[in-house]
Amino acid sequence: MIYFPEGMELEEVSVVFQGSVNDVVVCRDRRSAAGTLYTLLAIHDRECARKMLEVMENGQKGGEPSCLFQFAQNETTLFAFPYREERRFSAFARGQLTSALVSETICVNLVMECLSTPLPWPLLYLALEQDCVQITKDNTIYFSMILDLAELKPSITERQCVSSCARLLLELLSAPVVTGRTGRSRRKPLKSFELIRKKSGRGAYNNFPELYHDIKLTALPGRKPSLKKRAAGVWRRNKDILFRLLLVLCVILLLCAALMLICQIIFGDIPFLRLFQNCFDVIGTENLHRRGG
């Protein structure tokens, strides 16, 4: 299958989802030298297409577009999003929990991504509910758009998204920490876990800043860096100044050496070195040590 949005020729690479109202297709732009990949939500149900257009029109955050572009081909309405490889949060996040601090860091990253994403609330809710949260090896969070739009509800608000996100956080914060290649260790419930559990249980969260505040409020203090790391940090921050200082000192030493050489050639002596002679041993041309000998 080939799609023809304006100025592009998108060749189907793979169909990653087929549903009752929409498919999700990965496409490559034939006219792009880089072979840019896109994720297309291909909606073939008219009612779902109407809902999606309503969500896209009314759900923009700060004027930032929710998708790259949209177009229609035959009876299909298509929405294009950036393509990113899947690395599912549900499959990889727990294996990356090397400490309680890492757990809370991942939680903060997830909440921050929910805050910063341009996705309208109904689409963000589907991403959270349909296992479309992804995590990189360095614990960065992003969303994939492999969505079943049969469950799309334009009435979804931030409140429902926060509730769904809190559920994921509680699952992560309750997971044991990985202590080795195969072993895991149990731990006491974190303060952040207890606070989020209590407040989400009574539906107290209305927006993501409230959830972020509670995580940061109860977060464990970060471990102080070692002396070696602190010294390395001092060197990185001040290496330019230290280099200039060493350069100035080298220039001064070079000038002093040149001056001493000139004095030695002209006067046969270096006046500066007289400061290191014992004035009571040498008086004029007389040397008391020689006389005493």
Side-chain angles (χ1 to χ4, degrees):
M1 185 71 177
I2 298 178
Y3 301 94
F4 297 95
E6 184 176 355
M8 304 177 75
E9 189 174 321
L10 300 180
E11 177 185 17
E12 185 179 290
V13 175
S14 63
V15 179
V16 293
F17 172 78
Q18 287 184 306
S20 59
V21 298
N22 74 285
D23 300 332
V24 181
V25 184
V26 176
C27 293
R28 176 182 290 106
D29 185 7
R30 283 182 170 183
R31 299 182 184 180
S32 169
T36 306
L37 295 174
Y38 298 92
T39 298
L40 295 185
L41 291 181
I43 305 173
H44 44 74
D45 179 85
R46 289 187 178 181
E47 179 61 22
C48 181
R50 183 193 65 78
K51 290 181 181 179
M52 185 69 169
L53 289 170
E54 178 186 345
V55 167
M56 287 297 191
E57 182 178 352
N58 300 329
Q60 288 191 1
K61 302 175 183 177
E64 188 176 356
S66 304
C67 66
L68 297 176
F69 54 87
Q70 63 186 66
F71 63 101
Q73 184 165 311
N74 300 326
E75 298 297 320
T76 304
T77 304
L78 299 108
F79 297 84
F81 297 86
Y83 169 79
R84 293 190 68 176
E85 291 186 3
E86 288 188 88
R87 197 172 188 275
R88 293 188 182 275
F89 186 89
S90 59
F92 291 95
R94 292 193 176 196
Q96 296 178 196
L97 301 182
T98 55
S99 68
L101 182 61
V102 171
S103 302
E104 292 178 330
T105 298
I106 293 175
C107 290
V108 169
N109 291 347
L110 175 55
V111 175
M112 290 303 297
E113 184 62 20
C114 290
L115 276 167
S116 62
T117 182
L119 291 176
W121 300 125
L123 292 185
L124 176 59
Y125 180 78
L126 289 183
L128 292 167
E129 288 292 312
Q130 296 182 4
D131 197 20
C132 292
V133 182
Q134 315 294 330
I135 184 170
T136 64
K137 292 180 180 179
D138 65 353
N139 298 326
T140 300
I141 303 295
Y142 62 96
F143 301 110
S144 63
M145 297 305 295
I146 307 174
L147 302 177
D148 180 3
L149 298 178
E151 302 175 18
L152 179 63
K153 296 178 182 179
S155 60
I156 292 292
T157 65
E158 184 177 5
R159 185 184 180 90
Q160 287 95 327
C161 292
V162 176
S163 177
S164 181
C165 181
R167 173 183 58 80
L168 293 179
L169 299 187
L170 290 175
E171 291 176 2
L172 186 71
L173 291 171
S174 63
V177 173
V178 178
T179 56
R181 292 185 179 179
T182 57
R184 292 175 178 268
S185 63
R186 295 185 177 275
R187 65 178 181 212
K188 295 180 180 179
L190 298 172
K191 291 182 179 179
S192 52
F193 172 84
E194 294 295 342
L195 181 59
I196 294 171
R197 182 181 62 81
K198 291 178 181 178
K199 294 186 70 172
S200 62
R202 62 176 188 268
Y205 289 117
N206 295 305
N207 53 59
F208 281 105
E210 293 177 358
L211 184 57
Y212 174 82
H213 175 268
D214 284 350
I215 297 173
K216 296 297 290 184
L217 181 67
T218 57
L220 295 172
R223 183 181 298 175
K224 292 184 178 180
S226 64
L227 182 60
K228 182 179 179 180
K229 289 185 177 180
R230 280 183 284 176
V234 171
W235 167 252
R236 283 195 302 270
R237 291 190 297 270
N238 301 287
K239 61 182 179 181
D240 292 337
I241 297 175
L242 293 174
F243 175 77
R244 287 195 292 269
L245 180 61
L246 289 174
L247 183 61
V248 170
L249 289 175
C250 289
V251 171
I252 293 174
L253 290 175
L254 183 62
L255 291 175
C256 290
L259 183 61
M260 293 171 68
L261 180 62
I262 292 172
C263 289
Q264 182 68 36
I265 294 173
I266 296 176
F267 304 108
D269 190 15
I270 301 174
F272 173 74
L273 296 181
R274 293 175 185 172
L275 296 174
F276 301 97
Q277 290 183 341
N278 191 332
C279 299
F280 296 100
D281 290 342
V282 179
I283 302 176
T285 58
E286 296 294 329
N287 191 316
L288 298 181
H289 281 294
R290 291 179 183 174
R291 177 173 295 184

